[in-house]
Amino acid sequence: MTALTVSMIVRNAEAFLPACLQSVQSLAPEIVIADTGSTDRTIEIAREFGARVMQIPWHNDFAEARNRAITEARGDWILSLDADEQLDSKTAAGIAALLENKTLSGFQVTIRNYVNSLNERIWDEPPKSNDSLLASAAAYPAFIEHENIRLFRRSPEIFFVGRVHESVGPRIREVHGALGRANFFIHHFGFAADATTKARKNDLYRDMGREKLREFPKDWQAHFELGLLELEQYKNLPEARALFTRACELNPSAGVAWCFLGLTIFRMGYYEDALNFLRHADHAGHKTALVAETRGDAYYNLGQFDDARACYEAALKRQNGSAGVLAKVCLATVRAGKPEKGLSRLRGALAQNPQVAELHEGLILALVFLNRIEEAAQASDEKLRLVQGLLPADHIRSASLWARVRNWQRSSQALESGLLAHPGNTGLTRALDEIFLASGAQTE
């Protein structure tokens, strides 16, 4: 087999590094690691696995650091990994054939980013239920896929570009290299990190993204990437809008930029403008579920429920099986004047998927809109009974609905069950006191 070098940059990675290196040890004769300033056991662990370690200064530039690492590689091919990534046992058999290719310069590799919830997404890519291809990932409910060029031929003409969100792709295109698609996965655990680690990484990426914009002021993707960070992680809507607007100006055919500009404008409450930008995304060929769903949300907020329902149906076709979108379809159907049709579809979906919170939520909201409060209270109790991991607010809402029909016993029971799940919660305790007072006043 043609020789392969695994190339990495690391810093304070002792928690992840052993599993990563264990997963590549049998298929890579050489592992080169550039350490950017570890103060834990990272370097010691790397050497225990036979890696060649070089210590380099960190200049807030991922591309620079990765390029320092790949200059030390001796293999014909380079596989670039991060410490919080692993390969599965099927990779070795698949990668051998790829390395014998004589014509391609690199391969797009599918990366499975494990997440803690089925409601998370990367860009506008929805999550997929975890099939547990990797045993160490079995605890995560879902993953979200994206692609990157991680396996590429060692050549002085091929190197990383971009201070952050770095890639060898631009260089391969510049030298007219051909790309293939890899037949293996990289399993990534960074998106499932704790909140403190995520916040620290976001701050670093924000600083580097701003530096990247100063270096490449006409790079639409640099504007887009920083816009995503401002939108999703910092909720800075004005800044996200400015960045996405500039991305669209620099590349009017970038449908994904129009999509997130529309989403940002929607969150700012400008629904007609959001619809306009989302149409641009569709016309640019970016016909994703998120575009259709956000168009539906805009129409819904404008009170145009038939149009909203049609957009939600389109989103369902683009992302089959989305419970949240199905609930929106049914709620829009109810609001459009077809209550029994919407309720019947919701109840049918709940019969098949009784544990899905979004479907229960849709039914409760539809019944409240129809002023069928006792039915809404019953539906709320069903949600408490069947769905795991609910918040105190779910119990308080159920109690509130029962209180509206003067059923103080059921109202108290909803709050007491909440206190069993969330002992000492002040909101639940306060609500229970209010119910006792209200029920006592009612009986005087």
Side-chain angles (χ1 to χ4, degrees), residues 335-415:
R335 296 291 299 270
K338 301 173 183 176
E340 295 311 317
K341 181 178 180 181
L343 291 174
S344 175
R345 190 171 177 184
L346 262 175
R347 287 180 169 130
L350 273 169
Q352 293 183 329
N353 301 283
Q355 77 289 350
V356 177
E358 293 92 341
L359 296 175
H360 287 279
E361 192 67 20
L363 180 59
I364 296 164
L365 291 174
L367 290 167
V368 168
F369 168 75
L370 295 169
N371 203 32
R372 291 157 62 167
I373 304 304
E374 186 162 358
E375 289 181 67
Q378 292 168 348
S380 187
D381 271 6
E382 280 294 283
K383 181 180 179 183
L384 297 183
R385 187 174 68 86
L386 295 170
V387 179
Q388 299 293 316
L390 294 179
L391 300 174
D394 293 290
H395 295 268
I396 291 171
R397 199 258 302 276
S398 182
S400 175
L401 289 169
W402 283 117
R404 286 175 64 178
V405 295
R406 303 293 190 267
N407 191 327
W408 308 114
Q409 182 180 5
R410 297 289 292 272
S411 185
S412 299
Q413 288 172 350
L415 295 170

Side-chain angles (χ1 to χ4, degrees), residues 215-270:
E215 293 171 341
F216 304 101
K218 295 187 177 180
D219 184 339
W220 79 268
Q221 189 159 336
H223 286 81
F224 173 74
E225 290 165 352
L226 186 55
L228 277 181
L229 196 62
E230 295 292 346
L231 174 67
E232 303 291 4
Q233 304 303 326
Y234 294 97
K235 316 303 180 188
N236 187 346
L237 299 181
E239 183 64 17
R241 175 178 62 180
L243 288 161
F244 290 139
T245 298
R246 184 58 178 148
C248 292
E249 291 170 351
L250 291 167
N251 185 2
S253 65
V256 67
W258 289 109
C259 166
F260 280 93
L261 177 57
L263 180 61
T264 303
I265 295 298
F266 169 80
R267 291 183 183 176
M268 297 177 80
Y270 304 123

